[in-house]
Amino acid sequence: MQLPAGVTGHDWLIKASPRMARPDEAACPTHRRIAMRPLLVADPVVPFRHSPREEFGFGPLFTALDLWEHEEGWTVERIREELRNTRGPFRGWGAPVHPAHLAWTAHALERYAAARAREQADAVAAGLPPTRPMRLPPVWRTAREDAPDPIGARQYEHTLWGRVYASEDGSVRDLWLPSMGRAKKSRPDAELGAVAQVMTYGVPAPRRKASKLPPAEPAVGREPRLVRVFDVGCADGSVEPLLSVGPAEAQRRFADDAVPAFLAAAIGTVRQPGESCVDCKAIAGCTEVKRTPRLWGGRPPKAVRSRRSVSVWDLRLHAKCPAQYHLERRLHLNDLSGENRGARRGRAVDSWLDACHAERPLRGCRDREIPDLAAIRAWAPMDEASAREARGMLAEHRLLCPLNGLGADEQVLVQHRVSAYVPELDVIVLAVPDLVYTHRGRWIWHETKTSARPLWEGEPLLRNIPQLALGVLLFHAGALGDDPRRSWVELEHLREGHGQSRLEPVDPSRAENVEEARAVIAELAQPLLDDTTYDPTTGRHCHDCQARTWCRPGTAYVTDQPHTDAVMQPQGDVPAHD
């Protein structure tokens, strides 16, 4: 196959992890195809750049587990003490670890160790042999002696991620997959099929650099008669069995579920800009991602680091608390505390609006029947008062719905991802407006917000709702539609009570709106781009922070201050990294 523009090297080696078999509608097919070929490199070459903080949530935990499982004398309590005394990288590996990340690691280690003890006791009681940690993960390699296969590959290397265990006689192999919150009860069939094959036929082998790969190794020793896969929740120690198969079933699952998924990923040619652009080697040659130099006039950060993505969700969260941004958005820590009252109400409203606006043929909401309280509470668990508020907001929306009277031939995109690349900052900008639709040749960016209170009139609209500011800038830069003079951005502000809601338009072609939008985004973005420490800033947001359990200042604030619920919940500001 012809190499995509922007990369150079060799494509005879395909390295496939189970994650590559996982369905992902938001992923770029070309990026996945390149990512599976480790001998391809960016052209021009991009040097590796360290992050100022450890950004792999499980990194310190796996280092801790290596000590506990493979090093003599390292008890859980000794490792916890080591974590408490760490300043910078943990055990010298990786980037400096945030203090709250270290606290989470100690918490997760304790939950993981207890979960392993419980499961092993249950397994022995059921007549299975105990399993012990494997120092080297299994890798399944295959090679062609004669010529490349139809997609140009001469060797395949199938790997996996997680903690691997095996019985002393080799008859049982276990894989434990950690999750940040609760244990997942299921994973895609293609992913499990890939895992089963590697666990059954893989050979323990150290990870090697792509340039020093050995030839394919034959299977050695006996294959296990039983392969088991578990998911473990690091927040609560919950364990869910995902798979329990023998060799024949492992082969069947691999052939039926994983192989088609791997093949589709290995030959993808479509380019789909978005989150994939952050790690893509071929961005220099990509013509699909919209380049928007000086989108808000930001300056490159003082500390050079690898490419990253930025959304308004990121900007707002960092402005409230840099630590919360780092812990929730980058590391995805989760203490299972759940959403606040306003967020649950907003999610219910959002679910109904998305379902209605996605219907085809197009239909406005003016004559729709408002769902009853039971239906609303089924979308998002909430108290009856919140459900009544949500129902009142839906009633208000019927008159403001942008699809009312819209022609059947117009385009309507629900939760459409818009992206752009700011080259001088090496930043991918991501946005997810509630609606993007056309009206007589005009593109319209529509945001919906729910609130128990009026818009605060003491602050300009674009500063109060920075999603609108970003929409103005992306329209002005041509990231969506070619002519900002034939476009606009609008806010639908929903409140309970007849006549309380408003529709606010913003013209992205007016110079004063563009300048205000640039000032708003620059004020939010520059501190985030320059930040290297992510120190906590306490406030009422601490009550709803899903990493507060491990943040000392946040815990102290919540102890001293009463809870204050959110006053406004964004509807279209969906986390863009998840």
Side-chain angles (χ1 to χ4, degrees):
M1 297 180 68
Q2 184 176 1
L3 294 184
V7 296
T8 187
H10 304 284
D11 61 355
W12 58 265
L13 172 67
I14 291 182
K15 188 173 182 178
S17 71
R19 184 176 182 180
M20 286 295 178
R22 187 186 304 170
D24 186 354
E25 293 182 358
C28 173
T30 294
H31 165 69
R32 299 188 91 178
R33 171 187 162 199
I34 296 170
M36 293 180 73
R37 292 166 167 83
L39 299 183
L40 294 180
V41 296
D43 184 20
V45 174
V46 177
F48 175 77
R49 295 163 177 165
H50 290 279
S51 298
R53 286 286 192 187
E54 176 62 60
E55 292 193 340
F56 178 40
F58 293 113
L61 175 62
F62 273 41
T63 300
L65 288 172
D66 285 343
L67 291 173
W68 179 57
E69 293 178 339
H70 302 304
E71 302 298 330
E72 186 176 351
W74 281 91
T75 63
V76 169
E77 185 49 48
R78 181 182 174 188
I79 298 170
R80 284 176 59 89
E81 184 64 25
E82 183 84 357
L83 288 163
R84 281 192 289 268
N85 294 331
T86 293
R87 303 292 183 271
F90 178 51
R91 301 289 295 173
W93 292 96
V97 186
H98 194 280
H101 191 184
L102 290 167
W104 175 88
T105 301
H107 172 100
L109 172 65
E110 195 170 64
R111 300 301 184 277
Y112 187 98
R116 270 287 295 169
R118 290 195 306 271
E119 189 283 323
Q120 283 291 277
D122 292 343
V124 171
L128 292 174
T131 56
R132 300 175 180 176
M134 294 176 61
R135 280 188 175 269
L136 300 176
V139 177
W140 182 51
R141 296 189 178 103
T142 62
R144 295 174 65 90
E145 297 286 340
D146 43 7
D149 66 10
I151 65 172
R154 288 182 176 272
Q155 181 168 325
Y156 290 82
E157 178 173 325
H158 291 267
T159 63
L160 49 77
W161 176 84
R163 308 298 299 184
V164 183
Y165 306 88
S167 61
E168 190 171 1
D169 63 0
S171 63
V172 178
R173 278 188 181 180
D174 293 342
L175 176 67
W176 280 52
L177 299 171
S179 291
M180 283 291 180
R182 294 186 180 90
K184 293 181 176 66
K185 295 184 178 181
S186 64
R187 289 186 182 243
D189 289 342
E191 183 179 354
L192 291 177
V195 166
Q197 183 78 356
V198 178
M199 288 291 289
T200 302
Y201 298 104
V203 177
R207 298 290 172 86
R208 298 175 174 88
K209 292 183 178 180
S211 60
K212 298 181 179 180
L213 281 171
E217 300 175 13
V220 295
R222 61 176 296 183
E223 66 190 33
R225 63 176 176 83
L226 179 65
V227 164
R228 304 187 305 163
V229 180
F230 299 90
D231 203 291
V232 55
C234 291
D236 62 355
S238 57
V239 176
E240 293 287 346
L242 302 181
L243 193 69
S244 181
V245 298
E249 179 66 7
Q251 281 188 321
R252 186 197 67 77
R253 282 176 170 263
F254 181 73
D256 294 350
D257 299 329
V259 169
F262 279 138
L263 179 60
I267 64 175
T269 57
V270 173
R271 295 177 183 265
Q272 183 173 305
E275 181 69 19
S276 297
C277 297
V278 173
D279 300 314
C280 189
K281 305 173 189 176
I283 193 170
C286 182
T287 57
E288 290 298 316
V289 59
K290 180 68 177 181
R291 283 161 172 78
T292 55
R294 297 195 59 78
L295 184 63
W296 61 80
R299 65 176 185 274
K302 299 174 184 177
V304 179
R305 52 180 294 169
S306 58
R307 188 183 310 133
R308 52 182 156 169
S309 64
V310 169
S311 69
V312 169
W313 185 281
D314 295 326
L315 299 179
R316 292 178 64 187
L317 193 58
H318 184 273
K320 288 192 298 184
C321 176
Q324 189 174 359
Y325 158 76
H326 176 69
L327 300 171
E328 285 191 358
R329 298 291 289 142
R330 307 303 299 180
L331 301 179
H332 309 292
L333 303 195
N334 184 352
D335 66 2
L336 309 178
S337 58
E339 297 174 307
N340 62 47
R341 178 176 177 269
R344 289 192 294 270
R345 180 190 62 212
R347 190 170 296 279
V349 172
D350 194 38
S351 297
W352 191 80
L353 296 181
D354 285 352
C356 293
H357 296 160
E359 285 184 3
R360 298 295 179 270
L362 298 179
R363 177 189 171 193
C365 297
R366 181 181 291 116
D367 301 321
R368 290 185 187 273
E369 182 179 349
I370 302 301
D372 59 26
L373 298 183
I376 292 174
R377 296 176 74 175
W379 286 325
M382 68 185 82
D383 57 62
E384 185 169 334
S386 296
R388 290 187 183 279
E389 291 171 0
R391 195 170 192 274
M393 292 171 182
L394 294 177
E396 285 284 287
H397 166 78
R398 289 189 298 184
L399 296 178
L400 299 176
C401 179
L403 306 192
N404 289 340
L406 200 66
D409 58 342
E410 301 286 4
Q411 296 185 61
V412 176
L413 307 175
V414 179
Q415 298 290 337
H416 177 65
R417 291 178 178 264
V418 182
S419 60
Y421 179 46
V422 185
E424 73 274 10
L425 304 179
D426 202 15
V427 164
I428 302 296
V429 177
L430 301 174
V432 188
D434 292 301
L435 278 178
V436 177
Y437 66 99
T438 59
H439 178 66
R440 297 178 181 177
R442 295 186 175 191
W443 277 103
I444 300 159
W445 178 303
H446 184 93
E447 295 283 1
T448 305
K449 305 298 171 193
T450 62
S451 175
R453 301 177 183 178
L455 280 172
W456 183 33
E457 296 181 356
E459 188 174 49
L461 183 63
L462 297 187
R463 189 168 296 278
N464 198 6
I465 313 292
Q467 293 92 329
L468 305 179
L470 185 59
V472 167
L473 294 183
L474 290 172
F475 263 140
H476 181 74
L480 186 65
D482 295 328
D483 188 354
R485 294 172 299 178
R486 294 183 56 78
S487 306
W488 73 75
V489 177
E490 62 187 16
L491 169 69
E492 179 182 352
H493 180 231
L494 293 177
R495 294 183 61 210
E496 182 190 18
H498 182 66
Q500 297 295 311
S501 300
R502 296 163 58 183
L503 190 65
E504 299 282 351
V506 181
D507 186 349
S509 68
R510 295 184 62 177
E512 58 267 35
N513 289 340
V514 175
E515 289 306 309
E516 182 182 354
R518 281 179 176 152
V520 168
I521 298 302
E523 185 177 315
L524 292 171
Q526 200 62 52
L528 185 152
L529 296 179
D530 288 338
D531 201 351
T532 58
T533 59
Y534 306 112
D535 294 328
T537 302
T538 58
R540 66 179 185 176
H541 52 269
C542 293
H543 289 279
D544 302 314
C545 177
Q546 292 193 315
R548 190 193 70 232
T549 298
W550 307 287
C551 175
R552 288 185 178 180
T555 299
Y557 176 88
V558 169
T559 301
D560 295 338
Q561 301 291 332
H563 180 78
T564 303
D565 209 349
V567 297
M568 178 173 292
Q569 175 61 23
Q571 289 308 298
D573 193 16
V574 177
H577 303 170
D578 298 343

